[in-house]
């Protein structure tokens, strides 16, 4: 996956590419998933952006579990929550999804 070109892909195309590569190369999709999550959190005018971001955070958690790197995921989640601490609706959705601190 061309990680250095993620900025030119739309979110739907990026999602498709991630899903195509996830099974065979789970470690290679961690960066793209993080980029996708950041893209959704940066959007405005999309009332579903937090739901989409949470769905992808859950997928990222599953990948880290598969790769036996839960500490890396925990660090990412902690940083994500700290960076978006003012987005209380997003944090509430993370909590509801079992992605609390």
């Amino acid at each position: 996956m061309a990680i250095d070109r993620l900025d030119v892909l739309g979110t739907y195309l990026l999602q498709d590419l991630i899903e195509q590569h996830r099974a065979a190369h789970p470690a290679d999709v961690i960066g793209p998933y993080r980029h996708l999550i950041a893209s959704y959190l940066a959007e405005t005018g999309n009332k579903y952006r937090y739901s989409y971001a949470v769905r992808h955070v859950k997928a990222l958690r599953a990948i880290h579990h598969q790769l036996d790197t839960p500490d890396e995921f925990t660090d990412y989640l902690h940083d994500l929550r700290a960076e978006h601490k003012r987005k209380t609706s997003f944090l509430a959705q993370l909590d509801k999804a079992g992605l609390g601190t």
Side-chain angles (χ1 to χ4, degrees):
M1 184 174 285
I3 293 176
D4 57 337
R5 299 299 304 179
L6 295 178
D7 57 329
V8 298
L9 299 176
T11 53
Y12 296 115
L13 179 56
L14 181 55
Q15 288 175 153
D16 289 343
L17 291 172
I18 289 170
E19 288 305 313
Q20 290 174 14
H21 286 83
R22 181 178 173 179
H25 307 284
D28 292 346
V29 298
I30 290 173
Y33 259 125
R34 290 180 179 192
H35 179 82
L36 184 60
I37 292 162
S39 294
Y40 277 119
L41 292 174
E43 280 187 7
T44 58
N46 178 352
K47 68 180 182 177
Y48 301 109
R49 67 186 181 272
Y50 294 160
S51 297
Y52 295 150
V54 169
R55 179 177 53 182
H56 296 303
V57 172
K58 288 170 64 176
L60 189 57
R61 177 180 60 185
I63 290 169
H64 279 288
H65 178 74
Q66 177 184 356
L67 296 172
D68 198 28
T69 57
D71 292 340
E72 184 180 329
F73 175 75
T74 300
D75 291 345
Y76 167 74
L77 184 60
H78 181 267
D79 293 346
L80 183 69
R81 292 178 71 94
E83 181 180 350
H84 297 284
K85 65 185 176 192
R86 299 181 97 182
K87 296 177 179 170
T88 56
S89 295
F90 172 61
L91 298 179
Q93 286 189 33
L94 285 175
D95 292 341
K96 186 176 178 182
L99 297 162
T101 54

